[in-house]
Amino acid sequence: MGVKQVIKNLDAFPRAEDHLLQKTQSGALVSVIGIIIMTTLFIHELSFYLTIHTVHQMSVDLTRGETLPIHINMSFPSLPCDVLSVDAIDMSGKHEVDLDTNIWKLRLNSHGHIIGTEYISDLVEKEHAAHKHDGGKDHHEDSEQKIHLQTFDESTEKMIKKVKQALTDGEGCRVYGVLNVQRVAGNFHISVHGLNIQVAQMIFGGSNNVNVSHVIHDLSFGPKYPGLHNPLDETTRVLHDTSGTFKYYIKIVPTEYRYISKEVLPTNQFSVTEYYSPLNEFDRIWPAVYFLYDLSPITVTIKEERRSFLHFITRLCAVLGGTFALTGMLDRWMYRFVEVLTKPKKSRSGPR
């Protein structure tokens, strides 16, 4: 008996007999409020536990010998597809010219709608060394233009007429695809540099008439992961009655995204600054849109994690226990308050 009595004395939750318990309307109201609060907090804590959060870590980039994928999706509303070319050069001086298999061009009308998809190859300047645009004389007089036109073959003459008609109709071009380049610093640009200097002069009448207005729908350096924001997406640059060269200086940060399922996604994120250089009447360079990129020596690892179950139980006990204790205190206060208000009425209602 002594041991049982000692154990009973340890009971922190003594029970009162049923006839000693008193149920009140104020207690019922507080109980309903407490249940609503505890249910709301339980749902919030459960969603907090089930929500996946990310942890960022940094380390030195040790990858070697891999290629860098460049995803391009751009529109040039003022330049036909026939005159546009893509070129990529890395820091070692390697000139990538075999890029047409992964790049496509779509013809656009003056309203930006697709009207043709026949431009699938001949997108890069395969004779870059022979077709430099930093020299040569301007030919503005009609007689000189006729002399140059006579030196072109029939296909070139047809192309010149076709491009001029496309410029008159307000035709544009959308360039999209993937460039796989060496994982070193370099640049790629989209321009009219693929044209022979004399052909370009015949078509545009001078570099000042080349309008490189563009819209960057998407530019990325690898697959996208949750929460990634590419700063150049949906960037629009429009020129009016002028021309020049756009340069985007890009700093690429190698990134690994580790899903909670242990799947690893290698990709890249980047930051960018831009610079625009307008042409003047004495410049002999031709407008272009350059993307100059460099790689950071630091790689970022992003891990998906879920909070521990013990952490969830601890927070749940704290929230529910605190709410229960608070509603108990509120119930006692309300009971005392109602008791104080009702006692005078009972004293006046007695016999006189």
Side-chain angles (χ1 to χ4, degrees), residues 263-283:
E263 180 185 354
V264 179
L265 178 68
T267 183
N268 300 278
Q269 52 185 321
F270 67 93
S271 62
V272 62
T273 56
E274 62 178 285
Y275 173 74
Y276 171 70
S277 175
L279 292 182
N280 58 55
E281 58 181 345
F282 302 107
D283 286 334

Side-chain angles (χ1 to χ4, degrees), residues 67-71 178 180 183 218-230 253 255-257 259 263-270:
T67 58
L68 178 68
I70 304 175
H71 299 261
V178 181
N180 290 304
R183 200 177 180 83
D218 175 59
L219 180 69
S220 58
F221 296 85
K224 294 185 178 181
Y225 59 84
L228 174 65
H229 171 69
N230 293 322
V253 181
T255 304
E256 276 190 355
Y257 192 88
Y259 290 92
E263 180 185 354
V264 179
L265 178 68
T267 183
N268 300 278
Q269 52 185 321
F270 67 93

Side-chain angles (χ1 to χ4, degrees), residues 12-254:
F13 308 98
R15 297 178 181 275
E17 297 182 7
D18 292 340
H19 69 276
L20 297 177
L21 299 177
Q22 182 180 2
K23 297 183 181 296
T24 61
Q25 292 182 349
S26 61
L29 177 62
V30 172
S31 298
V32 172
I33 295 175
I35 291 173
I36 294 174
I37 293 175
M38 286 189 287
T39 302
T40 304
L41 292 177
F42 171 77
I43 295 174
H44 177 269
E45 289 298 324
L46 182 62
S47 63
F48 183 74
Y49 165 69
L50 296 177
T51 301
I52 297 174
H53 69 284
T54 56
V55 177
H56 292 68
Q57 299 175 344
M58 292 187 295
S59 60
V60 177
D61 184 20
L62 301 177
T63 56
R64 292 183 180 180
E66 298 182 1
T67 58
L68 178 68
I70 304 175
H71 299 261
I72 305 171
N73 189 353
M74 297 178 61
S75 293
F76 290 83
S78 302
L79 291 176
C81 290
D82 279 303
V83 301
L84 283 177
S85 64
V86 174
D87 194 17
I89 305 175
D90 61 33
M91 190 172 61
S92 64
K94 184 177 180 181
H95 185 192
E96 297 284 351
V97 296
D98 191 17
L99 304 175
D100 57 303
T101 55
N102 294 322
I103 297 292
W104 292 265
K105 291 189 288 187
L106 303 177
R107 293 172 57 204
L108 305 177
N109 61 16
S110 58
H111 301 289
H113 300 144
I114 298 173
I115 58 176
T117 60
E118 65 268 35
Y119 297 93
I120 300 179
S121 61
D122 194 26
L123 186 57
V124 297
E125 45 179 312
K126 296 184 181 293
E127 298 179 273
H128 178 80
H131 298 160
K132 295 185 179 296
H133 286 66
D134 55 354
K137 299 180 179 180
D138 294 335
H139 306 278
H140 300 289
E141 298 181 2
D142 293 340
S143 59
E144 292 182 352
Q145 290 182 354
K146 290 179 181 179
I147 293 174
H148 283 285
L149 187 60
Q150 293 174 358
T151 64
F152 301 139
D153 56 25
E154 184 178 353
S155 61
T156 304
E157 293 180 15
K158 289 182 179 179
M159 189 272 287
I160 293 174
K161 293 179 181 179
K162 182 181 178 182
V163 173
K164 286 186 175 181
Q165 184 61 44
L167 289 171
T168 303
D169 297 338
E171 189 173 306
C173 186
R174 187 162 185 165
V175 181
Y176 71 97
V178 181
L179 304 178
N180 290 304
V181 298
Q182 296 298 320
R183 200 177 180 83
V184 294
N187 76 80
F188 67 95
H189 58 273
I190 304 175
S191 64
V192 299
H193 295 175
L195 295 175
N196 181 286
I197 183 65
Q198 297 175 356
V199 173
Q201 191 69 34
M202 290 289 295
I203 293 174
F204 297 102
S207 59
N208 288 325
N209 298 321
V210 179
N211 189 338
V212 291
S213 298
H214 58 277
V215 179
I216 304 175
H217 305 287
D218 175 59
L219 180 69
S220 58
F221 296 85
K224 294 185 178 181
Y225 59 84
L228 174 65
H229 171 69
N230 293 322
L232 284 179
D233 287 359
E234 302 304 327
T235 297
T236 302
R237 297 293 180 265
V238 179
L239 299 177
H240 299 283
D241 301 325
T242 185
S243 188
T245 297
F246 290 90
K247 291 185 178 181
Y248 296 93
Y249 297 91
I250 298 172
K251 193 70 172 182
I252 301 173
V253 181

